[in-house]
Structure formats: C-alpha cells, structure tokens
C-alpha cells in the first residue's frame, strides 16, 4: 500500500514561495518517498531543491489502483 500526504512547501525549486504553497507526497509501503506533486496533482521533480513539512495524511491506496490515488486528491479539492 502506498500513502498520500498533504505537504506545505517551505522551498519550491530552491526558492521560498511567495504565498502558502501546498502539494502532495507519495510514499511506498517501506516509507520511502516515490513521488512529489504540486497543488494541481501534477508530478514534479523530486530533486528540485524542495523543502516541505507534512500537513496531514490523506489516505492509502493499493499499488495497482491509481483511481484511489486520484480519489484521495479529489477529496482534498484537486481536480
């Protein structure tokens, strides 16, 4: 099972965002970050000089069921 957490960026591509900037973090079952997403749910470069804090967990989804991933984002107002 992967999990999705809402995050708040402190640095976004190495720069402090002008306004509060949220995104999403996908973590695998071993607790490793496997993807970062911007506030629109678009995947972004994980190695772009980002710093973030976790805000809250949105939920978990099965590795093969990406529909549940998008449902979690929609539950937070994305889409």
């Amino acid at each position: 099972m992967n999990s999705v957490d809402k995050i708040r960026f402190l640095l976004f591509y190495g720069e402090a965002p002008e306004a509060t900037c949220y995104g999403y973090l996908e973590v695998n079952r071993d607790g490793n970050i496997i993807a970062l997403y911007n506030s629109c749910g678009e995947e972004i470069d994980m190695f772009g000089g980002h710093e973030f804090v976790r805000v809250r967990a949105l939920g978990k989804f099965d590795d093969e069921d990406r529909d549940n991933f998008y449902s979690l984002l929609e539950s937070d107002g994305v889409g």
Side-chain angles (χ1 to χ4, degrees):
M1 289 288 234
N2 292 357
S3 63
V4 178
D5 293 337
K6 185 171 188 171
I7 58 174
R8 182 172 47 85
F9 287 103
L10 303 176
L11 290 179
F12 193 64
Y13 287 107
E15 308 247 340
E18 292 181 16
T20 304
C21 183
Y22 291 101
Y24 302 93
L25 172 70
E26 185 177 351
V27 179
N28 67 12
R29 71 181 75 209
D30 298 324
N32 299 317
I33 299 171
I34 57 174
L36 278 178
Y37 301 90
N38 64 17
S39 59
C40 297
E42 301 163 333
E43 191 168 356
I44 60 173
D45 178 14
M46 287 192 342
F47 307 104
H50 311 299
E51 285 186 22
F52 56 85
V53 293
R54 292 179 193 213
V55 175
R56 65 184 173 94
L58 294 181
K60 297 182 181 234
F61 66 96
D62 190 297
D63 296 345
E64 286 80 35
D65 192 359
R66 298 300 290 179
D67 288 343
N68 284 337
F69 168 78
Y70 294 110
S71 294
L72 290 172
L73 293 186
E74 286 175 4
S75 73
D76 198 54
V78 175

